[in-house]
Amino acid sequence: MSTFISPPSSSISFLSSSIFSSKTPSSSLFTKPPKPHILKPTQILSQLSTLPILSFDGTKVGETTLNLKSANPDTARAVVHRGITTDLNNKRRGTASTLTRAEVRGGGKKPFPQKKLGRARRGSQRTPLRPGGGVVFGPKPRDWTVKINKKEKRLAISTALASAAVNGIVVEEFGDKFEKPKTREFVELLKRWGIDPKEKSMFFMTEVEDNVVLSSRNIGTLKMLTPRTLNLFDILNADKLVFTKGGLEYLNEAYGLVDEEDEDEEEFEEETEGTEAEETVSGDA
């Protein structure tokens, strides 16, 4: 005869758990989850870099500084990534187009009867399963344009320039040194500056002479940029950055960090000049 043995008193049943009891729940089990970490707004910093100045002969004649705005290190990568993806998307034409089975020519007649032939049924020769048929979910013309704020784009360019300044040099103006277009002379000039012609290099100048353009256009690894053509892709793609003195001054003025106090002073000076002009005009009248 079987006997029933009661379980030991030390065992815990499902209903006897503290979670399901009527007692006050434990604070460790029902504590509020921590608040998510919220990133602070992007902080704009000033990054100062010292660059050597080289003459046309390749000798060092001095040093200068490149003082540009730079994004916070925590968000700099995201700012530059957004800038480069926006530029690449905006370059897309969006003209790729394929024909669906409704748009492709032919296929109006049923190729063979539905039955009596022992073949798989087919209603059209232009089905996507056949060569020459339509394309399923193929590309259609679309607009790839992505909007980006002007200040964000400028910050991405200045951040990329500031991070790549370690591979940059400043050279004296050399536009008048080329009397006639000669690629060999330009390659020799690159070697004097310590630049390998096989490396990707970017030149930034305020103005580019015609002989310089003709002398450098056969070098596939070289890019000549001006303030109008300055872009993020060529900055990130270059191994060496070469600035002229005029180009460096333009970058410091256009992409440098200006204090709010200086901006207020400039606005105050403009207002005072405007009021003085109005007073002189009224006095003359």
Side-chain angles (χ1 to χ4, degrees), residues 135-147:
V135 179
V136 183
F137 302 124
K140 285 292 184 182
R142 56 167 295 184
D143 185 12
W144 290 92
T145 304
V146 180
K147 181 185 177 298

Side-chain angles (χ1 to χ4, degrees), residues 2-21:
S2 60
T3 58
F4 176 75
I5 301 175
S6 61
S9 60
S10 61
S11 63
I12 302 175
S13 63
F14 178 76
L15 295 177
S16 64
S17 175
S18 60
I19 300 177
F20 300 97
S21 63

Side-chain angles (χ1 to χ4, degrees), residues 43-47 68-73 76 155 158-159 162-163 255:
Q43 183 181 4
I44 299 177
L45 308 176
S46 177
Q47 188 168 348
L68 301 178
K69 292 184 291 186
S70 179
N72 193 344
L155 181 61
S158 62
T159 302
S163 63
Y255 295 94

